[in-house]
Amino acid sequence: MLLPVLALVLATGAVQAQDGRYAEGDDANTHYGWADVLRVDPVYGVARTEVPRQECYDEPVVRREGGGNTTAGTVLGAVIGGVLGNTVGKGDGRKAATVAGAVAGGAVGHGVAGRGQREYDDTVTRCRQVSSVSEQRRLMGYDVEYRYHGDVYVSRLNYDPGERLRVRVSVAPAE
């Protein structure tokens, strides 16, 4: 009599791996037992994380030091040269003398303002934000193969159960 009932329980019921940390339910059609663990396979996955970092490099630059404002010197020289050219020129040549005086005065003004200016080579450190993706292999769980009353089952668990596994057996009528 016990054998047909056990066959009925296994045919209509479900066997699930159960962590001993869970409380037993009040369901009259559920009981707990122990299964023999046949194999435990760790399951690994890849976890990707984006890691921001700063990337810096040295850039060569030319620095200028001393001297005056060459733009202001050029403009002032052009104005003075234009006025002198206008006063020197006569008749139809007055316009040409004004333009020539402005060009010459601008060149002289630029040269005078730039006197005393030194150039030297230097380096400047420049930085920028970049991201790199880091991949790490992580343990995701365990595929556990176990035998309960002659039948073999497989479950994925978040822990290694060892040699024996507590299982919950639930019986319900087949529809």
Side-chain angles (χ1 to χ4, degrees):
M1 182 68 181
L2 181 60
L3 192 54
V5 172
L6 183 57
L8 178 65
V9 168
L10 291 177
T12 61
V15 177
Q16 300 173 344
Q18 177 68 34
D19 188 338
R21 295 173 284 192
Y22 296 120
E24 294 186 23
D26 293 332
D27 189 1
N29 292 331
T30 302
H31 70 277
Y32 295 86
W34 291 95
D36 293 324
V37 174
L38 304 174
R39 193 173 83 219
V40 177
D41 295 323
V43 177
Y44 292 96
V46 175
R48 291 184 174 99
T49 54
E50 190 171 326
V51 180
R53 63 183 172 84
Q54 200 172 42
E55 188 176 84
C56 297
Y57 58 95
D58 288 337
E59 181 177 305
V61 294
V62 176
R63 298 222 186 249
R64 291 179 179 88
E65 196 175 78
N69 185 345
T70 57
T71 304
T74 303
V75 171
L76 187 59
V79 170
I80 293 171
V83 169
L84 288 175
N86 191 24
T87 58
V88 170
K90 299 201 187 295
D92 289 337
R94 183 173 276 179
K95 287 183 184 175
T98 302
V99 170
V103 170
V108 170
H110 180 77
V112 169
R115 284 192 188 133
Q117 188 175 24
R118 296 181 332 185
E119 289 185 359
Y120 62 95
D121 293 331
D122 197 6
T123 57
V124 174
T125 302
R126 303 213 187 269
C127 297
R128 63 181 178 157
Q129 196 76 9
V130 294
S131 294
S132 61
V133 176
S134 171
E135 293 184 352
Q136 295 177 342
R137 185 175 177 219
R138 293 198 178 165
L139 181 63
M140 306 303 279
Y142 298 89
D143 283 342
V144 180
E145 184 177 298
Y146 51 97
R147 184 186 327 268
Y148 180 74
H149 285 274
D151 290 324
V152 176
Y153 302 91
V154 176
S155 295
R156 180 162 292 174
L157 303 175
N158 61 357
Y159 64 97
D160 183 343
E163 294 179 10
R164 291 184 49 174
L165 176 65
R166 188 168 186 229
V167 293
R168 180 178 61 197
V169 181
S170 178
V171 180
E175 302 276 336

